[in-house]
Amino acid sequence: AVVSTQSTGNKIHLDVHTVRNTEDTRYPGTYTGYDDSWDFAKFRNNFKIRIIRREEREIEFDMIGIDTPIANAFRRILLAEVPTMAIEEVFLQNNTSVIQDEVLCHRLGLLPIMVDPRLFDMKGKGDKAEERNTLQFKLKMRCKRNKKAPTDTTNADELYCNSKLYTRNVEWEPLGSQKEWLKGGVKFSHDDILINVLRPGQELDMTMHAVKGIGSDHAKFSPVATATYRLLPEIQLLREFRGAAAEKLRSCFSPGVIEIEEGRAVVKDARLDSGSREVL
């Protein structure tokens, strides 16, 4: 999220060697004749969220009218307090692959599951696995030699059958009436996540239980891979730049920040600026 803070006439300034105006003076009585006390109604009227870009797996938005500590709190909530479903228990019947049981189970726990966690209850310690608190998956695969493989090939995909295990090989086994109220089914975020590699004679046979949890308990429950915020840059050109000076100015910023229009340098998109001090 990109954050624009509103302060009492102050903005953070990036100088050659320092960053100025980083302190916050919004406390009652700081300014004579100015009521700076916090008011919920005022905050509600001033706070705005502007969505800049929204894609299937990524969103960028501006939060206007708040301080950076609150923006950071939202970031931490996204990382640690929003519940998701993740594999918690693995019942291994057979594992003759080169990956140890503990490492394999850890990999399985990190597989992102596409299902609405609001439909499930938290599973408490000692609770039995049932349709309202658990998702069950099954994985059983054995690697064999491909008898029809070309005699001159060294490609493992041609030499062996079932040599690579992907998330598409994991089967969801509905518990109770889950098939009725989970009409869209349950799947992983990608069907081509590599889980393990097998060779002839090696086999995997396991049952997995996924439960509801939050990122503060374990990172596998975190719903986002990355959540960041930064101050929204504002760039003001104090004089006009033309010709070679305009070209040099453009090269000092990240691509797309400064463009040349009608021979004159203009700020095209300050959002793309990385905060580099090269121009200074």
Side-chain angles (χ1 to χ4, degrees):
V2 180
V3 184
S4 174
T5 59
Q6 293 180 347
S7 188
T8 313
N10 291 329
K11 294 182 180 179
I12 294 178
H13 294 270
L14 183 64
D15 293 336
V16 180
H17 301 293
T18 61
V19 179
R20 294 186 291 110
N21 291 351
T22 58
E23 68 278 356
D24 188 5
T25 59
R26 283 190 283 180
Y27 298 97
T30 302
Y31 300 98
T32 304
Y34 179 76
D35 183 12
D36 209 15
S37 58
W38 190 84
D39 181 73
F40 176 73
K42 185 188 299 183
F43 169 79
R44 184 176 59 183
N45 292 332
N46 293 334
F47 179 59
K48 297 181 179 64
I49 294 181
R50 182 185 298 122
I51 297 177
I52 305 302
R53 178 170 52 90
R54 183 176 181 179
E55 301 172 358
E56 183 180 3
R57 304 194 187 281
E58 188 174 352
I59 185 171
E60 179 182 356
F61 57 92
D62 290 353
M63 291 188 290
I64 305 170
I66 63 171
D67 285 327
T68 49
I70 305 300
N72 187 50
F74 285 141
R75 183 190 68 84
R76 293 177 64 90
I77 290 171
L78 289 173
L79 289 170
E81 300 296 334
V82 178
T84 62
M85 302 290 289
I87 294 174
E88 176 73 5
E89 295 178 322
V90 180
F91 305 93
L92 277 166
Q93 282 75 45
N94 195 8
N95 174 26
T96 57
S97 70
V98 296
I99 300 183
Q100 301 92 333
D101 294 350
E102 294 82 359
V103 178
L104 178 61
C105 293
H106 183 267
R107 287 173 63 86
L108 294 170
L110 297 176
L111 297 176
I113 302 173
M114 299 291 289
V115 67
D116 190 348
R118 294 172 295 182
L119 301 175
F120 295 87
D121 301 326
M122 289 282 191
K123 184 182 178 184
K125 190 174 182 179
D127 291 347
K128 293 183 179 180
E130 55 184 21
E131 61 177 296
R132 283 296 174 181
N133 63 19
T134 303
L135 287 169
Q136 181 167 297
F137 298 93
K138 180 70 175 178
L139 175 59
K140 186 174 183 180
M141 192 78 69
R142 182 180 178 86
C143 181
K144 300 179 181 179
R145 291 189 180 274
N146 182 12
K147 297 180 180 180
K148 299 181 180 180
T151 57
D152 59 343
T153 184
T154 58
N155 188 344
D157 294 335
E158 296 179 349
L159 286 171
Y160 314 125
C161 299
N162 301 328
S163 63
K164 294 180 180 179
L165 299 186
Y166 294 95
T167 44
R168 57 174 170 265
N169 302 123
V170 181
E171 298 180 6
W172 169 51
E173 294 184 334
L175 297 177
S177 59
Q178 283 183 344
K179 199 169 184 179
E180 299 176 5
W181 51 274
L182 290 174
K183 300 191 181 295
V186 178
K187 60 181 181 180
F188 295 94
S189 62
H190 299 80
D191 63 0
D192 59 349
I193 300 176
L194 184 63
I195 299 175
N196 203 349
V197 175
L198 302 180
R199 285 299 177 260
Q202 296 179 350
E203 180 181 0
L204 274 179
D205 186 3
M206 66 184 72
T207 301
M208 296 155 279
H209 285 178
V211 300
K212 184 176 180 178
I214 56 177
S216 59
D217 292 334
H218 196 286
K220 67 184 178 183
F221 292 111
S222 180
V224 293
T226 305
T228 63
Y229 78 93
R230 68 186 181 109
L231 295 172
L232 183 63
E234 180 179 323
I235 301 173
Q236 296 180 355
L237 300 182
L238 302 181
R239 64 181 181 86
E240 189 175 273
F241 293 86
R242 290 184 175 274
E247 291 288 350
K248 184 176 181 180
L249 180 69
R250 179 170 63 175
S251 66
C252 291
F253 287 90
S254 302
V257 176
I258 302 293
E259 296 293 345
I260 299 177
E261 297 180 357
E262 299 179 355
R264 181 172 59 91
V266 296
V267 180
K268 193 68 174 180
D269 191 353
R271 181 182 298 274
L272 301 175
D273 183 53
S274 62
S276 170
R277 287 183 167 90
E278 183 177 356
V279 67
L280 302 176

